[in-house]
Amino acid sequence: MDNRDKTDWRFKVANREALIGCGLALLNFAWWFGFAYGMGSRPVEEYSYILGMPDWFFYSCVIGFILITALVAFVVKVFFKDVPFEEEEELQ
């Protein structure tokens, strides 16, 4: 059996977790972009304010940060695995 057939299981775990991280980053960008440019493209006179901030800023930056932070914490706790960094001894 050559080395190409024997992939370390940690690479599969790392690849899956990296894809999840990229998905979360894309979700964060879509959330931010949707609220910032969707609601922020109105004339200033039509803005409504929440806690002294324009509503588009509040939803895109404040709520978005809280939501994504909670989502990342949940995903890390539920879907990510603790992977050892030590080399495994090969059995012969």
Side-chain angles (χ1 to χ4, degrees):
M1 179 183 338
D2 65 5
N3 286 336
R4 289 178 290 167
D5 294 334
K6 199 166 88 178
T7 303
D8 192 344
W9 65 272
R10 295 174 291 188
F11 288 114
K12 291 179 183 178
V13 171
N15 188 39
R16 181 178 70 87
E17 291 176 359
L19 289 174
I20 291 171
C22 289
L24 288 171
L26 289 173
L27 177 66
N28 185 29
F29 179 76
W31 178 279
W32 172 82
F33 188 85
F35 279 106
Y37 286 99
M39 295 176 75
S41 61
R42 298 175 297 185
V44 176
E45 297 79 28
E46 294 180 14
Y47 286 175
S48 58
Y49 294 87
I50 302 171
L51 299 175
M53 295 175 269
D55 58 353
W56 64 266
F57 181 84
F58 183 78
Y59 291 124
S60 68
C61 295
V62 177
I63 298 297
F65 172 76
I66 294 168
L67 178 74
I68 293 298
T69 301
L71 187 59
V72 166
F74 172 77
V75 166
V76 167
K77 192 164 200 72
V78 173
F79 295 107
F80 282 25
K81 293 182 181 179
D82 191 19
V83 178
F85 291 123
E86 296 84 29
E87 291 287 329
E88 293 181 0
E89 297 285 330
E90 289 189 41
L91 300 175
Q92 295 181 355

